[in-house]
Structures are given as structure tokens and as C-alpha cells.
């Protein structure tokens, strides 16, 4: 669906909000790669909208540290250092483990079944080497779980973290593929079924460590090259 058709389909959502959501999704799942700048005019032309909603959406994404603006009206993904990656890693471990623990109190059997279905789709993406499919499924799994925590403030903070590391995750997986990925969600699902909070915390920590560790290793290799 193009943005124009989306606007026609749901006129209740302002154009600038739709542009924001679409750009944010691109950042999360690989539409913007680190090191490649794009123009605001180019984005507007691609999305079929005027420059104004693009500027508004980009302004919000800059405030979230998801994009940075250059003097020539180009935007790109901000560079990250190993120190920044470590900070994001620590924040994810604190916030996401807390969200998962809160969610455990409110999850029903239907929710666990929904999470299992999402994980089955992730398995298919891993088997077929579908990097974008894996990333989308991984995002859906985490935020379905976190949505059950009933903690809007923490969820907003975590979403802000994901939009900062997402492009680098896509870059890593684009280079290495999905062959070396281990589906840590299996442990989380077993913990959820057993209503075992400690096991769930461990599973989340290991899942976060896998992804952030890949990014940190990639940055380390780049610095040595």
C-alpha cells in the first residue's frame, strides 16, 4: 500500500503521523542503513507527499535520536560507538526484563498461543534466510509481550531504544545472514508457560545479549579494519 492510498483509507490519521510511522518502520527494519544519507525532498517524492509532513516526521525522529540532520538537508542514521551500544544494552536489560516480568502477571493462555505463533513465523524466517522477516517477527514478539505489562511509560522508552539500534542490527544481519542466530524465544516461551519469572528474566537477558553482542562485535571489527 502506498502512503497516498493509506491516507485515503484512514483519513483520521494526519499525513505527518503516517509519514512518521512509515519512516520509523523503515529505520527499524532496514529501509535506512548507517552511512547512507537521503534528502528530505527525495523522501517526500518517494512517499508522494509534500515536504512539510516529512520535515515534521524527521524532526520527531531526530528528537528520538533515530535520525540526524545535515546542513545540506540530508538525514542519516546517527553513528554509534561501543560505549553507546553498551549503554543501550544496559538500558534494554533493565527495562525489558522489567516489562516481561510485569507482563507475566497479565498473560493468558491465548496470549501465549499468540506468542508461539509469532515464534513459528520467526523460525520460518530463520530457515529461509529472511532477514527482514526475522527482524519484524522479533519486534512483534517482544512488543506483544511488553504490551501486556500495562506500562505505557516503559514501553515508550524501550521503543526509543529499538529505533536507535535497529539499523545496526539490520546491517549486521545483512552481512552475516541468519545462520548464526539462535532463537532465544523458545526459553522465554517455556518460562511463560511455567509462569517462571526468574527463567523468563534469564531468557530475556540472553536474547538481548545475543543481538547487542553482534552489534558490538561488528563495531569492534570495523574499528580494527
Amino acid at each position: 500500500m502506498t502512503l497516498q492510498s493509506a491516507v485515503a483509507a484512514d483519513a483520521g490519521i494526519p499525513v505527518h503521523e503516517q509519514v512518521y510511522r512509515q519512516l520509523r518502520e523503515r529505520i527499524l527494519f532496514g529501509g535506512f542503513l548507517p552511512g547512507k544519507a537521503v534528502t528530505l525532498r527525495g523522501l517526500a517524492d518517494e512517499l508522494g507527499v509534500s515536504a512539510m509532513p516529512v520535515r515534521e516526521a524527521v524532526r520527531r525522529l531526530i528528537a528520538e535520536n533515530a535520525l540526524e540532520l545535515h546542513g545540506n538537508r540530508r538525514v542519516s542514521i546517527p553513528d554509534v560507538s561501543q560505549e553507546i551500544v553498551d549503554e543501550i544494552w544496559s538500558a534494554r536489560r533493565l527495562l525489558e526484563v522489567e516489562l516481561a516480568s510485569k507482563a507475566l502477571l497479565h498473560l493468558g493462555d491465548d496470549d501465549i498461543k499468540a506468542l508461539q505463533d509469532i515464534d513459528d513465523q520467526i523460525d520460518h524466517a530463520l530457515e529461509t534466510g529472511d532477514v527482514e522477516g526475522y527482524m519484524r517477527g522479533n519486534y512483534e514478539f517482544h512488543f506483544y509481550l511488553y504490551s501486556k505489562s500495562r506500562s505505557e511509560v516503559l514501553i515508550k522508552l524501550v521503543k526509543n531504544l529499538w529505533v536507535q539500534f535497529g539499523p545496526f542490527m539490520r546491517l549486521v544481519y545483512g552481512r552475516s545472514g541468519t545462520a548464526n542466530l539462535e532463537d532465544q524465544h523458545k526459553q522465554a516461551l517455556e518460562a511463560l508457560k511455567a509462569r517462571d519469572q526468574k527463567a523468563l528474566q534469564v531468557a530475556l537477558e540472553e536474547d538481548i545479549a545475543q543481538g547487542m553482542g553482534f552489534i558490538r562485535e561488528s563495531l569492534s571489527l570495523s574499528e580494527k579494519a
Side-chain angles (χ1 to χ4, degrees):
M1 177 183 289
T2 67
L3 186 63
Q4 289 168 309
S5 62
V7 170
D10 194 344
I13 300 177
V15 175
H16 67 82
E17 178 65 23
Q18 295 190 49
V19 171
Y20 166 77
R21 293 181 187 183
Q22 191 168 100
L23 292 181
R24 192 176 186 282
E25 183 173 299
R26 290 188 182 191
I27 293 168
L28 277 168
F29 303 123
F32 288 92
L33 290 179
K36 295 184 178 181
V38 295
T39 65
L40 298 184
R41 171 52 60 188
L43 288 173
D45 290 343
E46 185 179 347
L47 297 173
V49 298
S50 68
M52 186 176 296
V54 171
R55 285 198 297 266
E56 172 63 19
V58 165
R59 182 190 64 78
R60 291 173 62 185
L61 291 164
I62 290 171
E64 295 174 9
N65 297 318
L67 290 175
E68 65 179 359
L69 181 66
H70 304 283
N72 53 6
R73 294 189 179 182
R74 290 175 177 267
V75 291
S76 65
I77 300 298
D79 290 333
V80 297
S81 63
Q82 289 196 33
E83 289 75 19
I84 291 175
V85 170
D86 286 346
E87 286 188 30
I88 293 174
W89 188 341
S90 295
R92 288 191 65 198
R93 187 168 60 243
L94 289 170
L95 297 175
E96 295 185 42
V97 168
E98 177 68 12
L99 282 170
S101 297
K102 288 178 176 291
L104 186 59
L105 301 175
H106 307 292
L107 280 175
D109 291 341
D110 289 345
D111 295 315
I112 295 175
K113 174 62 168 59
L115 287 165
Q116 181 65 66
D117 290 343
I118 296 170
D119 195 52
D120 290 343
Q121 296 171 20
I122 292 173
D123 287 341
H124 179 72
L126 289 173
E127 291 169 2
T128 59
D130 181 0
V131 173
E132 183 175 344
Y134 167 77
M135 291 188 67
R136 288 181 179 275
N138 185 52
Y139 185 90
E140 185 179 0
F141 184 95
H142 280 265
F143 284 96
Y144 185 103
L145 175 60
Y146 302 156
S147 71
K148 301 303 175 180
S149 69
R150 304 179 184 177
S151 181
E152 294 183 8
V153 172
L154 293 185
I155 290 173
K156 286 180 181 178
L157 291 172
V158 171
K159 284 185 174 180
N160 181 261
L161 293 173
W162 276 64
V163 82
Q164 292 181 61
F165 74 79
F168 296 91
M169 192 71 78
R170 179 64 178 82
L171 193 63
V172 170
Y173 293 160
R175 290 172 178 170
S176 62
T178 60
N180 295 324
L181 294 176
E182 182 179 348
D183 184 6
Q184 303 286 352
H185 300 151
K186 298 287 187 293
Q187 294 173 267
L189 282 166
E190 290 304 314
L192 290 170
K193 292 173 184 176
R195 307 292 175 175
D196 187 333
Q197 184 182 53
K198 181 60 178 178
L200 179 61
Q201 291 173 344
V202 171
L204 261 292
E205 289 178 354
E206 291 181 356
D207 182 64
I208 292 167
Q210 174 179 254
M212 299 308 295
F214 280 142
I215 295 176
R216 202 180 194 290
E217 181 181 359
S218 177
L219 286 175
S220 179
L221 292 174
S222 297
E223 291 174 358
K224 291 177 181 179

